[in-house]
Structure formats: C-alpha cells, structure tokens
Amino acid sequence: MRVGADGLVRRPALVADGFDGAEIDRMLRSGALVAVRRGVYRLAGGDSPRAEDDHRLRARAAGPGLVSGAVFGFVTAAVLLGLPVWRIPLRRLHVVRDRSNGARIRGDLQIHGGRLPEGDVLELAGGLRVTSPARTVVDLARTVAAPQALVTIDGALHRRIVAERARRPDPAAATTGEIIRALGASANWSGSRAARRAVAFADGRSESPGETLSRFRMHVAGLPAPVLQWPVPGTRLRTDFAWPDRGVVGEFDGRTKYGRSPRPGADPAEVLWQEKRREDRIRAEGLTVVRWTFPEIDDPGPNGMAARLRPLIGP
C-alpha cells in the first residue's frame, strides 16, 4: 500500500496496487483506513489527530484538486504554515482565488475572492500554495475577533525574532513592515479597520498564546501596560511581564511557547522544582511575583488575573 509523502493514501493509488472497491470499503469499515476527504485516507493508528492536524491533513488531501490559481488562505494557511490559531473554527478549508466575486461555500471548502499579487503567495514543501504569513494574518485580522487575530499575528512576529536569532529562514515568519504593507493593500476591504487595530496592538515579544491573551485582557481591563520579557536586575532571568516602577512581575503559567513544545521526557517534578527555584530568585530581588493560568486570564472574579494585579499595579 503506497502512502504519499504527505502521509495520505489516495484511492487511485490503492486501485493501481490491486485493491478493488469492495476491499477498500472493508478497510474503511474495519478502521484500517480512515477517510480524510472523499477518495483520500490515512492509515489508522495512534490517537485521533488534533483539530489542527486534522485540518492540515484535509488541506493536503484537497490541494491537488484546487483549480489553477487558487491557494489556501485565512486559517488554513495559518495551520499549514504552523502558526498558532486559537478558537478559530476549523471545520472548513479556506481557499483564495484571484477574482472579485469568487466567494462561496462548496462542501468543506470556503472560497474567497480577492487579489493575489505574486508576493502574497508562498509555495510550501510538497507543492502546497498558501498566502504569505503577512497576508494570512491580515486576512484573519479582518475576519475574526481581536484576541484570535492577535494570537496568530504575535506568533508570526515572534517567529521572525526566533529566525533572526538563529540566523535561519522561517517561511512562517513575518515582520511588522511586511504586515503593514499587506494592510495597505487591503485598505478598502471589509474588516480592514479592525485589522489595523489588531496589528497596532501586536507584539512579537509575546512568546505564547497565553501571553498574548493576557496582554490583551490587561488592556481591556484598563491596567497599565507591562514591559515584556523584562530582564530581572542582578540575575540572568527574565519575566513574561513586569511593572518595574511598582516592583511587580507577572508570569503566565503555560507550557507551550510559539513554535516550541515542552522538552520531551522532562520530569514534571523536576520542572516544578526548577520553577520554584527561579521564582525564589526573583523574589529575592525584592519583587512581587503574580502567576496565573489560562482559566484565570478571563476570570472576572477575585481570583482572576486582572483582580489580583490591580491592587499591586494600579488602575
């Protein structure tokens, strides 16, 4: 059974290998094959894919069938680029065609019409064509809520910081200048005003979705703007957020940074011990440390992030 480089098994390849329709149907009923899209399957095994992984597989399955000139865009481009998406529906694949009246839904494809200058299109490994990172985040910022858009914009900006530090190119990275140019090109499109607001608030120094959302909620709550990635004086440590004039630092308790995952095989007890030692070192510098988790970012009660920060840093 031939599995493509994209990890998918296509019905024509199965037929060419001697499997007839009845055999393919039996493999589907038994669970040996799992349908991804019509006539495209993946081999069974392991856990069910995450929503992003499933979306990526479906895009790879649909890619060869796209009409000439069509590219993946919006949230589908973000997923294929490996950019973070947060609470953006992934049921439909999003495709952009270079035409003014191409908007429609066809099965699980949502087709958008719009100009596609050459600089707005990127070809990924395997031949899939997507909108560029800058165009992708601007299109998302025009069409989704500000917190969702910011997570993806910050992710693309942070990828550029990491790429420059490592001195290696990253197809998912974008600069502020590239995003602003993409904004200018979409100035007359629906949602462009919301996109401008989101881009103006974006900051590539946020290193995870939790940090981005924390910063957004601080802004909405009217709290003083923090310094991001603040180096703690007298140490080699830095904190996610800081209000140096108040002697307060903030830490989002998340395990996933933009483009990075926890170290495989890490001992949770050792991780907690190292984190405690780190926090003790920060407190030894006379600083107050406030920590919070994802549920506490939006918690309006006394244990929520904003309520705990407000008496320490002001209104």
Side-chain angles (χ1 to χ4, degrees):
M1 183 182 299
R2 283 178 287 174
V3 180
D6 54 8
L8 298 171
V9 180
R10 288 176 165 77
R11 193 177 187 96
L14 288 173
V15 173
D17 285 342
F19 293 91
D20 61 26
E23 289 175 304
I24 295 171
D25 290 342
R26 280 198 298 272
M27 286 189 287
L28 286 168
R29 287 195 299 271
S30 70
L33 287 178
V34 179
V36 175
R37 294 187 93 244
R38 183 178 178 86
V40 186
Y41 321 106
R42 65 175 175 85
L43 295 177
D47 298 330
S48 297
R50 298 181 310 134
E52 290 91 339
D53 294 332
D54 175 72
H55 194 85
R56 188 178 297 110
L57 280 174
R58 290 191 290 117
R60 289 174 178 166
L66 296 184
V67 299
S68 176
V71 305
F72 289 114
F74 294 81
V75 71
T76 303
V79 169
L80 289 170
L81 286 164
L83 292 173
V85 296
W86 181 74
R87 292 186 178 177
I88 301 177
L90 296 175
R91 185 166 64 89
R92 288 197 173 96
L93 300 172
H94 291 257
V95 173
V96 182
R97 296 187 65 182
D98 197 347
R99 56 197 302 179
S100 59
N101 59 350
R104 66 181 186 276
I105 293 174
R106 190 180 69 199
D108 67 341
L109 293 180
Q110 183 157 348
I111 302 168
H112 306 260
R115 296 189 304 275
L116 280 173
E118 184 177 345
D120 281 3
V121 178
L122 178 68
E123 185 167 315
L124 302 178
L128 285 180
R129 299 173 76 234
V130 301
T131 51
S132 68
R135 170 68 182 268
T136 297
V137 300
V138 166
D139 281 346
L140 277 179
R142 294 190 300 106
T143 54
V144 302
Q148 297 167 313
L150 278 169
V151 165
T152 307
I153 300 170
D154 280 3
L157 291 172
H158 186 71
R159 293 279 285 263
R160 177 52 63 105
I161 293 173
V162 172
E164 290 179 349
R165 192 180 299 147
R167 297 184 179 180
R168 66 169 183 269
D170 182 344
T175 66
T176 301
E178 290 167 344
I179 294 174
I180 289 174
R181 284 194 291 275
L183 266 177
S186 64
N188 297 320
W189 298 356
S190 173
S192 60
R193 186 173 299 177
R196 284 195 297 273
R197 289 195 298 267
V199 170
F201 191 71
D203 195 316
R205 291 175 297 175
S206 284
E207 294 188 340
S208 71
E211 290 177 37
T212 294
L213 295 168
S214 296
R215 187 165 52 87
F216 178 75
R217 294 305 177 196
M218 291 172 196
H219 174 71
V220 170
L223 296 174
V227 177
L228 304 185
Q229 310 308 325
W230 183 63
V232 179
T235 76
R236 295 182 178 181
L237 305 174
R238 60 185 173 89
T239 61
D240 298 337
F241 308 95
W243 295 264
D245 57 331
R246 318 291 171 86
V248 177
V249 300
E251 293 277 272
F252 168 69
D253 272 335
R255 294 291 173 239
T256 302
K257 299 287 188 180
Y258 286 130
R260 288 177 284 163
S261 300
R263 180 166 52 87
D267 180 358
E270 178 63 20
V271 171
L272 287 173
W273 172 246
Q274 292 298 332
E275 191 56 35
K276 180 185 183 304
R277 292 185 62 189
R278 177 179 178 277
E279 185 168 324
D280 288 345
R281 183 71 185 87
I282 295 172
R283 292 184 191 279
E285 297 300 317
L287 297 165
T288 300
V289 180
V290 182
R291 308 184 72 92
W292 58 85
T293 60
F294 247 120
E296 292 164 332
I297 294 174
D298 289 325
D299 185 347
N303 295 319
M305 176 195 71
R308 292 166 58 209
L309 284 172
R310 195 180 301 279
L312 299 172
I313 63 175

PDB file of all heavy atoms in Angstrom, residues 207-227:
ATOM      1  N   GLU A 207       5.468  35.389  23.792  1.00  0.00           N
ATOM      2  CA  GLU A 207       6.068  34.108  23.410  1.00  0.00           C
ATOM      3  C   GLU A 207       5.094  32.942  23.412  1.00  0.00           C
ATOM      4  O   GLU A 207       5.497  31.808  23.175  1.00  0.00           O
ATOM      5  CB  GLU A 207       7.243  33.802  24.336  1.00  0.00           C
ATOM      6  CG  GLU A 207       8.410  34.775  24.168  1.00  0.00           C
ATOM      7  CD  GLU A 207       9.637  34.365  24.944  1.00  0.00           C
ATOM      8  OE1 GLU A 207       9.505  33.566  25.894  1.00  0.00           O
ATOM      9  OE2 GLU A 207      10.732  34.845  24.608  1.00  0.00           O
ATOM     10  N   SER A 208       3.824  33.185  23.690  1.00  0.00           N
ATOM     11  CA  SER A 208       2.854  32.099  23.690  1.00  0.00           C
ATOM     12  C   SER A 208       1.455  32.684  23.554  1.00  0.00           C
ATOM     13  O   SER A 208       1.250  33.876  23.825  1.00  0.00           O
ATOM     14  CB  SER A 208       2.941  31.288  24.994  1.00  0.00           C
ATOM     15  OG  SER A 208       2.441  32.059  26.086  1.00  0.00           O
ATOM     16  N   PRO A 209       0.482  31.871  23.147  1.00  0.00           N
ATOM     17  CA  PRO A 209      -0.895  32.377  23.102  1.00  0.00           C
ATOM     18  C   PRO A 209      -1.360  32.920  24.451  1.00  0.00           C
ATOM     19  O   PRO A 209      -2.057  33.943  24.501  1.00  0.00           O
ATOM     20  CB  PRO A 209      -1.701  31.138  22.678  1.00  0.00           C
ATOM     21  CG  PRO A 209      -0.740  30.331  21.875  1.00  0.00           C
ATOM     22  CD  PRO A 209       0.584  30.509  22.561  1.00  0.00           C
ATOM     23  N   GLY A 210      -0.970  32.247  25.538  1.00  0.00           N
ATOM     24  CA  GLY A 210      -1.372  32.725  26.857  1.00  0.00           C
ATOM     25  C   GLY A 210      -0.825  34.099  27.173  1.00  0.00           C
ATOM     26  O   GLY A 210      -1.512  34.929  27.789  1.00  0.00           O
ATOM     27  N   GLU A 211       0.405  34.375  26.747  1.00  0.00           N
ATOM     28  CA  GLU A 211       0.980  35.695  26.983  1.00  0.00           C
ATOM     29  C   GLU A 211       0.266  36.749  26.146  1.00  0.00           C
ATOM     30  O   GLU A 211      -0.004  37.864  26.609  1.00  0.00           O
ATOM     31  CB  GLU A 211       2.477  35.672  26.686  1.00  0.00           C
ATOM     32  CG  GLU A 211       3.281  34.862  27.697  1.00  0.00           C
ATOM     33  CD  GLU A 211       4.753  34.795  27.340  1.00  0.00           C
ATOM     34  OE1 GLU A 211       5.294  35.794  26.839  1.00  0.00           O
ATOM     35  OE2 GLU A 211       5.357  33.735  27.563  1.00  0.00           O
ATOM     36  N   THR A 212      -0.039  36.410  24.904  1.00  0.00           N
ATOM     37  CA  THR A 212      -0.773  37.343  24.043  1.00  0.00           C
ATOM     38  C   THR A 212      -2.140  37.658  24.630  1.00  0.00           C
ATOM     39  O   THR A 212      -2.545  38.832  24.737  1.00  0.00           O
ATOM     40  CB  THR A 212      -0.942  36.745  22.644  1.00  0.00           C
ATOM     41  OG1 THR A 212       0.341  36.620  22.027  1.00  0.00           O
ATOM     42  CG2 THR A 212      -1.835  37.616  21.764  1.00  0.00           C
ATOM     43  N   LEU A 213      -2.869  36.635  25.036  1.00  0.00           N
ATOM     44  CA  LEU A 213      -4.217  36.846  25.566  1.00  0.00           C
ATOM     45  C   LEU A 213      -4.173  37.572  26.898  1.00  0.00           C
ATOM     46  O   LEU A 213      -5.047  38.400  27.191  1.00  0.00           O
ATOM     47  CB  LEU A 213      -4.930  35.494  25.702  1.00  0.00           C
ATOM     48  CG  LEU A 213      -5.191  34.783  24.368  1.00  0.00           C
ATOM     49  CD1 LEU A 213      -5.623  33.345  24.610  1.00  0.00           C
ATOM     50  CD2 LEU A 213      -6.249  35.530  23.558  1.00  0.00           C
ATOM     51  N   SER A 214      -3.150  37.298  27.709  1.00  0.00           N
ATOM     52  CA  SER A 214      -3.004  38.021  28.980  1.00  0.00           C
ATOM     53  C   SER A 214      -2.833  39.511  28.719  1.00  0.00           C
ATOM     54  O   SER A 214      -3.475  40.365  29.352  1.00  0.00           O
ATOM     55  CB  SER A 214      -1.794  37.491  29.756  1.00  0.00           C
ATOM     56  OG  SER A 214      -1.964  36.138  30.131  1.00  0.00           O
ATOM     57  N   ARG A 215      -1.959  39.847  27.777  1.00  0.00           N
ATOM     58  CA  ARG A 215      -1.692  41.248  27.453  1.00  0.00           C
ATOM     59  C   ARG A 215      -2.955  41.942  26.945  1.00  0.00           C
ATOM     60  O   ARG A 215      -3.241  43.096  27.293  1.00  0.00           O
ATOM     61  CB  ARG A 215      -0.578  41.301  26.407  1.00  0.00           C
ATOM     62  CG  ARG A 215      -0.067  42.668  26.069  1.00  0.00           C
ATOM     63  CD  ARG A 215       1.258  42.575  25.309  1.00  0.00           C
ATOM     64  NE  ARG A 215       1.164  41.682  24.167  1.00  0.00           N
ATOM     65  CZ  ARG A 215       0.753  42.048  22.965  1.00  0.00           C
ATOM     66  NH1 ARG A 215       0.373  43.291  22.756  1.00  0.00           N
ATOM     67  NH2 ARG A 215       0.719  41.185  21.975  1.00  0.00           N
ATOM     68  N   PHE A 216      -3.724  41.229  26.117  1.00  0.00           N
ATOM     69  CA  PHE A 216      -4.964  41.797  25.594  1.00  0.00           C
ATOM     70  C   PHE A 216      -5.960  42.062  26.721  1.00  0.00           C
ATOM     71  O   PHE A 216      -6.577  43.129  26.787  1.00  0.00           O
ATOM     72  CB  PHE A 216      -5.575  40.854  24.558  1.00  0.00           C
ATOM     73  CG  PHE A 216      -6.878  41.334  23.984  1.00  0.00           C
ATOM     74  CD1 PHE A 216      -6.907  42.367  23.057  1.00  0.00           C
ATOM     75  CD2 PHE A 216      -8.077  40.765  24.389  1.00  0.00           C
ATOM     76  CE1 PHE A 216      -8.121  42.822  22.539  1.00  0.00           C
ATOM     77  CE2 PHE A 216      -9.282  41.211  23.870  1.00  0.00           C
ATOM     78  CZ  PHE A 216      -9.307  42.241  22.945  1.00  0.00           C
ATOM     79  N   ARG A 217      -6.102  41.104  27.644  1.00  0.00           N
ATOM     80  CA  ARG A 217      -7.066  41.272  28.739  1.00  0.00           C
ATOM     81  C   ARG A 217      -6.627  42.378  29.692  1.00  0.00           C
ATOM     82  O   ARG A 217      -7.461  43.090  30.258  1.00  0.00           O
ATOM     83  CB  ARG A 217      -7.245  39.953  29.491  1.00  0.00           C
ATOM     84  CG  ARG A 217      -7.890  38.844  28.661  1.00  0.00           C
ATOM     85  CD  ARG A 217      -9.227  39.270  28.075  1.00  0.00           C
ATOM     86  NE  ARG A 217      -9.802  38.235  27.224  1.00  0.00           N
ATOM     87  CZ  ARG A 217     -10.784  38.434  26.370  1.00  0.00           C
ATOM     88  NH1 ARG A 217     -11.317  39.639  26.242  1.00  0.00           N
ATOM     89  NH2 ARG A 217     -11.245  37.449  25.618  1.00  0.00           N
ATOM     90  N   MET A 218      -5.318  42.530  29.899  1.00  0.00           N
ATOM     91  CA  MET A 218      -4.831  43.654  30.708  1.00  0.00           C
ATOM     92  C   MET A 218      -5.265  44.966  30.083  1.00  0.00           C
ATOM     93  O   MET A 218      -5.716  45.894  30.773  1.00  0.00           O
ATOM     94  CB  MET A 218      -3.307  43.607  30.813  1.00  0.00           C
ATOM     95  CG  MET A 218      -2.745  42.478  31.634  1.00  0.00           C
ATOM     96  SD  MET A 218      -0.932  42.442  31.471  1.00  0.00           S
ATOM     97  CE  MET A 218      -0.571  40.795  32.089  1.00  0.00           C
ATOM     98  N   HIS A 219      -5.128  45.059  28.769  1.00  0.00           N
ATOM     99  CA  HIS A 219      -5.510  46.272  28.044  1.00  0.00           C
ATOM    100  C   HIS A 219      -7.005  46.537  28.190  1.00  0.00           C
ATOM    101  O   HIS A 219      -7.422  47.669  28.487  1.00  0.00           O
ATOM    102  CB  HIS A 219      -5.126  46.113  26.579  1.00  0.00           C
ATOM    103  CG  HIS A 219      -5.585  47.233  25.697  1.00  0.00           C
ATOM    104  ND1 HIS A 219      -5.033  48.493  25.730  1.00  0.00           N
ATOM    105  CD2 HIS A 219      -6.574  47.278  24.755  1.00  0.00           C
ATOM    106  CE1 HIS A 219      -5.653  49.275  24.851  1.00  0.00           C
ATOM    107  NE2 HIS A 219      -6.587  48.559  24.250  1.00  0.00           N
ATOM    108  N   VAL A 220      -7.813  45.505  27.990  1.00  0.00           N
ATOM    109  CA  VAL A 220      -9.263  45.657  28.089  1.00  0.00           C
ATOM    110  C   VAL A 220      -9.663  46.063  29.505  1.00  0.00           C
ATOM    111  O   VAL A 220     -10.590  46.864  29.704  1.00  0.00           O
ATOM    112  CB  VAL A 220      -9.958  44.341  27.680  1.00  0.00           C
ATOM    113  CG1 VAL A 220     -11.446  44.388  28.001  1.00  0.00           C
ATOM    114  CG2 VAL A 220      -9.751  44.069  26.193  1.00  0.00           C
ATOM    115  N   ALA A 221      -8.958  45.540  30.515  1.00  0.00           N
ATOM    116  CA  ALA A 221      -9.272  45.853  31.910  1.00  0.00           C
ATOM    117  C   ALA A 221      -8.767  47.220  32.336  1.00  0.00           C
ATOM    118  O   ALA A 221      -9.026  47.671  33.463  1.00  0.00           O
ATOM    119  CB  ALA A 221      -8.673  44.781  32.817  1.00  0.00           C
ATOM    120  N   GLY A 222      -8.026  47.915  31.463  1.00  0.00           N
ATOM    121  CA  GLY A 222      -7.525  49.236  31.795  1.00  0.00           C
ATOM    122  C   GLY A 222      -6.304  49.233  32.698  1.00  0.00           C
ATOM    123  O   GLY A 222      -5.989  50.255  33.319  1.00  0.00           O
ATOM    124  N   LEU A 223      -5.594  48.113  32.765  1.00  0.00           N
ATOM    125  CA  LEU A 223      -4.393  48.042  33.595  1.00  0.00           C
ATOM    126  C   LEU A 223      -3.217  48.707  32.884  1.00  0.00           C
ATOM    127  O   LEU A 223      -3.182  48.769  31.648  1.00  0.00           O
ATOM    128  CB  LEU A 223      -4.053  46.576  33.898  1.00  0.00           C
ATOM    129  CG  LEU A 223      -5.083  45.799  34.720  1.00  0.00           C
ATOM    130  CD1 LEU A 223      -4.680  44.329  34.815  1.00  0.00           C
ATOM    131  CD2 LEU A 223      -5.231  46.402  36.107  1.00  0.00           C
ATOM    132  N   PRO A 224      -2.242  49.198  33.634  1.00  0.00           N
ATOM    133  CA  PRO A 224      -1.053  49.786  32.992  1.00  0.00           C
ATOM    134  C   PRO A 224      -0.361  48.772  32.097  1.00  0.00           C
ATOM    135  O   PRO A 224      -0.273  47.586  32.430  1.00  0.00           O
ATOM    136  CB  PRO A 224      -0.166  50.164  34.187  1.00  0.00           C
ATOM    137  CG  PRO A 224      -1.099  50.290  35.343  1.00  0.00           C
ATOM    138  CD  PRO A 224      -2.188  49.282  35.101  1.00  0.00           C
ATOM    139  N   ALA A 225       0.147  49.242  30.971  1.00  0.00           N
ATOM    140  CA  ALA A 225       0.820  48.337  30.028  1.00  0.00           C
ATOM    141  C   ALA A 225       2.102  47.799  30.663  1.00  0.00           C
ATOM    142  O   ALA A 225       2.884  48.554  31.251  1.00  0.00           O
ATOM    143  CB  ALA A 225       1.150  49.074  28.737  1.00  0.00           C
ATOM    144  N   PRO A 226       2.345  46.498  30.542  1.00  0.00           N
ATOM    145  CA  PRO A 226       3.550  45.919  31.123  1.00  0.00           C
ATOM    146  C   PRO A 226       4.750  46.040  30.193  1.00  0.00           C
ATOM    147  O   PRO A 226       4.608  46.264  28.988  1.00  0.00           O
ATOM    148  CB  PRO A 226       3.166  44.446  31.296  1.00  0.00           C
ATOM    149  CG  PRO A 226       2.243  44.191  30.142  1.00  0.00           C
ATOM    150  CD  PRO A 226       1.468  45.473  29.943  1.00  0.00           C
ATOM    151  N   VAL A 227       5.936  45.878  30.774  1.00  0.00           N
ATOM    152  CA  VAL A 227       7.146  45.660  29.987  1.00  0.00           C
ATOM    153  C   VAL A 227       7.220  44.165  29.710  1.00  0.00           C
ATOM    154  O   VAL A 227       7.045  43.354  30.612  1.00  0.00           O
ATOM    155  CB  VAL A 227       8.401  46.114  30.764  1.00  0.00           C
ATOM    156  CG1 VAL A 227       9.662  45.820  29.960  1.00  0.00           C
ATOM    157  CG2 VAL A 227       8.303  47.593  31.106  1.00  0.00           C
TER     158      VAL A 227
END
